[in-house]
PDB file of all heavy atoms in Angstrom:
ATOM      1  N   LEU U  76      26.019  14.658  10.928  1.00  0.00           N
ATOM      2  CA  LEU U  76      26.039  13.182  11.042  1.00  0.00           C
ATOM      3  C   LEU U  76      26.871  12.737  12.253  1.00  0.00           C
ATOM      4  O   LEU U  76      26.510  11.854  12.972  1.00  0.00           O
ATOM      5  CB  LEU U  76      26.606  12.546   9.759  1.00  0.00           C
ATOM      6  CG  LEU U  76      25.794  12.740   8.506  1.00  0.00           C
ATOM      7  CD1 LEU U  76      26.525  12.178   7.285  1.00  0.00           C
ATOM      8  CD2 LEU U  76      24.423  12.093   8.616  1.00  0.00           C
ATOM      9  N   SER U  77      28.006  13.425  12.453  1.00  0.00           N
ATOM     10  CA  SER U  77      28.854  13.136  13.614  1.00  0.00           C
ATOM     11  C   SER U  77      28.078  13.327  14.919  1.00  0.00           C
ATOM     12  O   SER U  77      28.141  12.480  15.826  1.00  0.00           O
ATOM     13  CB  SER U  77      30.059  14.100  13.660  1.00  0.00           C
ATOM     14  OG  SER U  77      31.101  13.572  12.952  1.00  0.00           O
ATOM     15  N   GLY U  78      27.368  14.437  14.993  1.00  0.00           N
ATOM     16  CA  GLY U  78      26.604  14.728  16.189  1.00  0.00           C
ATOM     17  C   GLY U  78      25.506  13.689  16.427  1.00  0.00           C
ATOM     18  O   GLY U  78      25.282  13.233  17.541  1.00  0.00           O
ATOM     19  N   MET U  79      24.842  13.294  15.320  1.00  0.00           N
ATOM     20  CA  MET U  79      23.787  12.278  15.449  1.00  0.00           C
ATOM     21  C   MET U  79      24.396  10.948  15.888  1.00  0.00           C
ATOM     22  O   MET U  79      23.870  10.283  16.791  1.00  0.00           O
ATOM     23  CB  MET U  79      23.063  12.109  14.106  1.00  0.00           C
ATOM     24  CG  MET U  79      22.165  13.284  13.742  1.00  0.00           C
ATOM     25  SD  MET U  79      21.755  13.425  11.982  1.00  0.00           S
ATOM     26  CE  MET U  79      20.743  11.995  11.746  1.00  0.00           C
ATOM     27  N   ALA U  80      25.528  10.587  15.277  1.00  0.00           N
ATOM     28  CA  ALA U  80      26.163   9.306  15.591  1.00  0.00           C
ATOM     29  C   ALA U  80      26.622   9.315  17.050  1.00  0.00           C
ATOM     30  O   ALA U  80      26.530   8.298  17.768  1.00  0.00           O
ATOM     31  CB  ALA U  80      27.322   9.037  14.636  1.00  0.00           C
ATOM     32  N   ALA U  81      27.146  10.455  17.499  1.00  0.00           N
ATOM     33  CA  ALA U  81      27.606  10.553  18.886  1.00  0.00           C
ATOM     34  C   ALA U  81      26.445  10.401  19.841  1.00  0.00           C
ATOM     35  O   ALA U  81      26.566   9.767  20.899  1.00  0.00           O
ATOM     36  CB  ALA U  81      28.303  11.897  19.115  1.00  0.00           C
ATOM     37  N   ALA U  82      25.308  10.982  19.486  1.00  0.00           N
ATOM     38  CA  ALA U  82      24.121  10.883  20.350  1.00  0.00           C
ATOM     39  C   ALA U  82      23.604   9.455  20.384  1.00  0.00           C
ATOM     40  O   ALA U  82      23.175   8.961  21.426  1.00  0.00           O
ATOM     41  CB  ALA U  82      23.036  11.821  19.864  1.00  0.00           C
ATOM     42  N   VAL U  83      23.658   8.759  19.251  1.00  0.00           N
ATOM     43  CA  VAL U  83      23.234   7.363  19.203  1.00  0.00           C
ATOM     44  C   VAL U  83      24.071   6.557  20.185  1.00  0.00           C
ATOM     45  O   VAL U  83      23.557   5.738  20.955  1.00  0.00           O
ATOM     46  CB  VAL U  83      23.395   6.798  17.752  1.00  0.00           C
ATOM     47  CG1 VAL U  83      23.255   5.269  17.748  1.00  0.00           C
ATOM     48  CG2 VAL U  83      22.330   7.413  16.829  1.00  0.00           C
ATOM     49  N   LYS U  84      25.386   6.831  20.184  1.00  0.00           N
ATOM     50  CA  LYS U  84      26.306   6.131  21.088  1.00  0.00           C
ATOM     51  C   LYS U  84      26.009   6.512  22.543  1.00  0.00           C
ATOM     52  O   LYS U  84      25.893   5.652  23.411  1.00  0.00           O
ATOM     53  CB  LYS U  84      27.731   6.580  20.757  1.00  0.00           C
ATOM     54  CG  LYS U  84      28.673   5.478  20.379  1.00  0.00           C
ATOM     55  CD  LYS U  84      30.023   6.140  20.083  1.00  0.00           C
ATOM     56  CE  LYS U  84      31.112   5.179  19.726  1.00  0.00           C
ATOM     57  NZ  LYS U  84      32.321   5.890  19.355  1.00  0.00           N
ATOM     58  N   ALA U  85      25.892   7.817  22.777  1.00  0.00           N
ATOM     59  CA  ALA U  85      25.692   8.306  24.136  1.00  0.00           C
ATOM     60  C   ALA U  85      24.429   7.729  24.740  1.00  0.00           C
ATOM     61  O   ALA U  85      24.373   7.430  25.920  1.00  0.00           O
ATOM     62  CB  ALA U  85      25.668   9.831  24.160  1.00  0.00           C
ATOM     63  N   GLN U  86      23.396   7.616  23.910  1.00  0.00           N
ATOM     64  CA  GLN U  86      22.097   7.128  24.420  1.00  0.00           C
ATOM     65  C   GLN U  86      21.959   5.590  24.328  1.00  0.00           C
ATOM     66  O   GLN U  86      20.941   5.017  24.709  1.00  0.00           O
ATOM     67  CB  GLN U  86      20.945   7.791  23.637  1.00  0.00           C
ATOM     68  CG  GLN U  86      20.873   9.299  23.844  1.00  0.00           C
ATOM     69  CD  GLN U  86      19.820   9.942  22.985  1.00  0.00           C
ATOM     70  OE1 GLN U  86      18.827   9.319  22.609  1.00  0.00           O
ATOM     71  NE2 GLN U  86      20.005  11.210  22.645  1.00  0.00           N
ATOM     72  N   GLY U  87      22.997   4.972  23.760  1.00  0.00           N
ATOM     73  CA  GLY U  87      22.965   3.513  23.646  1.00  0.00           C
ATOM     74  C   GLY U  87      21.848   3.008  22.731  1.00  0.00           C
ATOM     75  O   GLY U  87      21.315   1.902  22.919  1.00  0.00           O
ATOM     76  N   LEU U  88      21.519   3.786  21.699  1.00  0.00           N
ATOM     77  CA  LEU U  88      20.470   3.353  20.767  1.00  0.00           C
ATOM     78  C   LEU U  88      20.999   2.241  19.865  1.00  0.00           C
ATOM     79  O   LEU U  88      22.168   2.237  19.485  1.00  0.00           O
ATOM     80  CB  LEU U  88      19.999   4.530  19.890  1.00  0.00           C
ATOM     81  CG  LEU U  88      19.416   5.725  20.617  1.00  0.00           C
ATOM     82  CD1 LEU U  88      19.135   6.853  19.627  1.00  0.00           C
ATOM     83  CD2 LEU U  88      18.108   5.324  21.308  1.00  0.00           C
ATOM     84  N   LYS U  89      20.138   1.288  19.564  1.00  0.00           N
ATOM     85  CA  LYS U  89      20.563   0.146  18.773  1.00  0.00           C
ATOM     86  C   LYS U  89      19.906   0.165  17.388  1.00  0.00           C
ATOM     87  O   LYS U  89      18.784   0.611  17.209  1.00  0.00           O
ATOM     88  CB  LYS U  89      20.201  -1.178  19.465  1.00  0.00           C
ATOM     89  CG  LYS U  89      20.881  -1.335  20.839  1.00  0.00           C
ATOM     90  CD  LYS U  89      22.312  -1.845  20.711  1.00  0.00           C
ATOM     91  CE  LYS U  89      22.978  -1.962  22.046  1.00  0.00           C
ATOM     92  NZ  LYS U  89      23.947  -0.882  22.315  1.00  0.00           N
ATOM     93  N   GLU U  90      20.651  -0.387  16.405  1.00  0.00           N
ATOM     94  CA  GLU U  90      20.125  -0.582  15.066  1.00  0.00           C
ATOM     95  C   GLU U  90      19.577   0.696  14.447  1.00  0.00           C
ATOM     96  O   GLU U  90      18.522   0.707  13.849  1.00  0.00           O
ATOM     97  CB  GLU U  90      19.020  -1.633  15.049  1.00  0.00           C
ATOM     98  CG  GLU U  90      19.301  -2.841  15.936  1.00  0.00           C
ATOM     99  CD  GLU U  90      19.374  -4.133  15.168  1.00  0.00           C
ATOM    100  OE1 GLU U  90      18.503  -4.385  14.336  1.00  0.00           O
ATOM    101  OE2 GLU U  90      20.341  -4.887  15.425  1.00  0.00           O
ATOM    102  N   VAL U  91      20.305   1.750  14.611  1.00  0.00           N
ATOM    103  CA  VAL U  91      19.915   3.022  14.007  1.00  0.00           C
ATOM    104  C   VAL U  91      20.865   3.310  12.866  1.00  0.00           C
ATOM    105  O   VAL U  91      22.083   3.191  13.028  1.00  0.00           O
ATOM    106  CB  VAL U  91      19.959   4.169  15.049  1.00  0.00           C
ATOM    107  CG1 VAL U  91      19.736   5.502  14.354  1.00  0.00           C
ATOM    108  CG2 VAL U  91      18.919   3.939  16.140  1.00  0.00           C
TER     109      VAL U  91
END
Side-chain angles (χ1 to χ4, degrees):
Chain U
L76 295 176
S77 271
M79 287 159 69
V83 167
K84 239 179 178 175
Q86 295 174 28
L88 299 175
K89 298 279 178 256
E90 320 242 314
V91 172

